[in-house]
Each structure stands twice: as C-alpha cells, then as structure tokens.
Amino acid sequence: GAGVSQSPSNKVTEKGKDVELRCDPISGHTALYWYRQSLGQGLEFLIYFQGNSAPDKSGLPSDRFSAERTGGSVSTLTIQRTQQEDSAVYLCASSLGFGPQETQYFGPGTRLLVL
Amino acid sequence: QQPVQSPQAVILREGEDAVINCSSSKALYSVHWYRQKHGEAPVFLMILLKGGEQKGHEKISASFNEKKQQSSLYLTASQLSYSGTYFCGTEKAVQGGKLIFGQGTELSVKP
C-alpha cells in the first residue's frame, strides 16, 4: 500500500520568505509526527498530532514554526520568515495509533535550503 | 533528554559482526531502532519494550537492559546492505509516543 508522502521533495527559498511543507500520512493512521534532520545529525522532534487531541508542539524551535492537520489526515508545516539555520530535511512520520509500542513510518522528507 | 549512541561510526568487512549501543540517563519504556540510507527515509527495524525483551530480525537482533537503561543492536555476519546510519529512538512514558532520537551511528560495510 501507499506509504507516507511528502511534498515538495526539495525546496529552495530566500531568507525571509515563508514556506509550506506538506505531509500525507498512511491512510487510517491516527498519529502524525514532524521531525527535522540537519546535515549529519539525528532526528529532532518538532510536533505531533494524535486524533482530535491538541497537538504536542513542545519541539517547535520558535514561533516562526507552526503546523496544522486538517480532517485528521494531511498536515502542513509552515515556516515563516525563514532563516538560513532552518535549512534541513523535514521528515514526516505516521503511526496507526499513539503509544510507546507504535511503529512510526517515515516519509522521504523535504529538503529545505534557505539562501 | 537525547540518548547517547556509541560508537559514532564503524567500518566492517562483509561477514563481520557489530554492536551499536543506545544509552539514556532516564528510565525508558521503549526503544525503537531505525536504519537510514543516505538520502532516504529512516526504515523501522524493531521495537523493544520495558522488560528486557530481546528481539530478532534475520541477522539483526536487539536487547533492552532495563537496569542500565541501555539498548544494544546486534548485527551478525554483516552484509553490504546493512550500510547506513542507525538511530535509536526512546520513549520514557508508558502512555507516551513521542520519540527522542540519538545522534546516529554510521555503519559502513565493505566487500
């Protein structure tokens, strides 16, 4: 079946511009996560959504970052007034349920370059 | 708090074995292992839950030492396809699901 998809696969933008990154989770998955991976680094948690519960935004690095999930499916991560340090790969993952035993399935990521 | 992985990098010849460790200073409930090849998405390997359970997947297995708050990933008779960066993700809450990942261990298997 279809996995997690993300778009665009690559994004080049100028400093100060806003960008939107999209994630389509696996159908039927109730939990959705966003991570950021800087060059040669591990995965940094940003935010997760679980069903109708309020999202856990504890990993968002600044108020320039926001995310929403519409209809319990597609999610959009928005970065306003991008900075060069925002350059990274943004990975989305989804899981069937939410809990420490749930497997997270990752999308291919969006490579963001801020010039 | 981010778990610590060791070693940071390892180079193997085909057929050799390797162990990758993931340690936390906090009590853990679960440890997830992923492998990521360059330019690709992380791929799930296995989950270990509190209880010291050991799991296996072909020639890749893992253990979880609850007392030490450490998980170890064992790769035996390594193959070229094992090359990649291995990440552990940890969750300390029984009802949680937000993984905190280690910095990764880069594994290179040479012919």
Side-chain angles (χ1 to χ4, degrees), chain B residues 1-103:
Chain B
Q1 189 167 358
Q2 186 180 36
V4 176
Q5 289 185 232
S6 62
Q8 291 187 341
V10 59
I11 299 175
L12 299 175
R13 291 287 181 189
E14 254 187 308
E16 292 181 338
D17 302 340
V19 179
I20 300 172
N21 296 308
C22 174
S23 298
S24 173
S25 59
K26 302 286 186 182
L28 299 176
Y29 187 80
S30 69
V31 179
H32 301 223
W33 285 98
Y34 287 81
R35 176 172 60 210
Q36 184 179 34
K37 294 186 179 289
H38 182 69
E40 298 181 8
V43 174
F44 170 75
L45 294 176
M46 63 189 77
I47 294 175
L48 296 105
L49 301 179
K50 182 178 178 179
E53 176 181 0
Q54 180 153 355
K55 290 218 171 163
H57 175 70
E58 297 181 343
K59 294 180 181 177
I60 300 176
S61 62
S63 63
F64 181 14
N65 187 320
E66 188 180 328
K67 289 183 180 179
K68 291 185 177 180
Q69 300 307 323
Q70 176 176 295
S71 178
S72 296
L73 186 70
Y74 307 94
L75 300 104
T76 59
S78 59
Q79 305 168 15
L80 295 177
S81 61
Y82 287 5
S83 293
T85 302
Y86 289 77
F87 292 99
C88 67
T90 59
E91 169 56 69
K92 60 181 187 297
V94 174
Q95 293 165 343
K98 180 177 77 180
L99 296 179
I100 305 301
F101 284 88
Q103 80 281 16

Side-chain angles (χ1 to χ4, degrees), chain A residues 11-90:
Chain A
K11 176 73 177 178
V12 180
T13 190
E14 294 178 347
K15 178 182 173 182
K17 300 281 189 183
D18 298 351
V19 295
E20 284 189 352
L21 313 179
R22 176 185 167 108
C23 172
D24 282 87
I26 295 172
S27 178
H29 279 197
T30 64
L32 185 148
Y33 314 79
W34 283 98
Y35 295 90
R36 178 170 70 175
Q37 187 173 31
S38 301
L39 187 63
Q41 299 298 310
L43 295 95
E44 175 190 4
F45 167 78
L46 297 178
I47 185 171
Y48 79 73
F49 299 86
Q50 163 55 14
N52 295 322
S53 303
D56 181 335
K57 306 178 182 180
S58 60
L60 294 178
S62 77
D63 58 8
R64 295 186 296 104
F65 288 72
S66 63
E68 63 177 17
R69 189 179 185 191
T70 53
S73 182
V74 173
S75 177
T76 302
L77 178 69
T78 301
I79 309 174
Q80 295 179 311
R81 305 180 302 281
T82 52
Q83 304 294 313
Q84 289 181 334
E85 60 263 29
D86 299 334
S87 296
V89 177
Y90 289 82

